[in-house]
Structures are given as structure tokens and as C-alpha cells.
Amino acid sequence: MTQISEQTGVGRESLYKSLRPGANPAFSTVSKVMAALGLHIEVKPVTPAKLRKTVKKKVVVAAHKRKKVVKLAPSASRKARATD
């Protein structure tokens, strides 16, 4: 941790706090640590088939978690505009 601290310019104690479980480190901190370790992040586009599966799965999970569907009445401002 001392070597990474020296290479990144981030204090050793700050690194421990940033990288502990449940912490929410800044992207710049993660980026500096990754560079010090010789790592990088690569972003790739999702294939259309994989994207459809992901979206469909999220919709099914969301529908499953709902216990009942509640229809909300139009807001008062919409009612007022409709009658004007």
C-alpha cells in the first residue's frame, strides 16, 4: 500500500479508507490505483442480442417485485388545464 501511495500521490490512510468494503471511492482514485498496478478499464459496446436479454430480464424482475399495480389519478394541474 505504501508503494501504491507513493506512485499515485494519494495518502496511504486515504487509500485504506477509499478501498475498504462499502466505500465509494472517486473514479480518479480508482484510476490512479489501477494505473499504479498496471491495469486499465476497457469499455466495449454490448451486442444487440445481449442488450435485449438484459433489458428483458430487468423488466421481468421489476414486474416480479411489484405486488400490485397502482393507477395514479391525474394531477390537479392537469385537471385544471383540461377544463380551461
Side-chain angles (χ1 to χ4, degrees):
M1 198 60 96
T2 302
Q3 289 176 339
I4 292 172
S5 173
E6 290 171 358
Q7 291 175 353
T8 60
V10 178
R12 190 174 55 83
E13 292 169 2
S14 294
L15 285 174
Y16 278 113
K17 286 180 183 178
S18 295
L19 301 176
R20 71 175 180 238
N24 190 11
F27 183 76
S28 60
T29 302
V30 174
S31 181
K32 289 175 185 177
V33 170
M34 290 181 62
L37 295 172
L39 304 171
H40 72 274
I41 294 175
E42 184 174 324
V43 179
K44 293 183 180 181
V46 177
T47 61
K50 201 170 196 178
L51 181 61
R52 280 193 299 272
K53 286 180 184 178
T54 303
V55 171
K56 185 176 180 181
K57 186 176 183 180
K58 286 181 182 179
V59 169
V60 169
V61 168
H64 179 68
K65 287 183 179 180
R66 276 191 308 232
K67 295 190 178 177
K68 60 182 177 179
V69 176
V70 177
K71 292 186 178 181
L72 300 176
S75 68
S77 62
R78 283 190 202 159
K79 287 181 184 177
R81 277 187 261 142
T83 57
D84 289 342

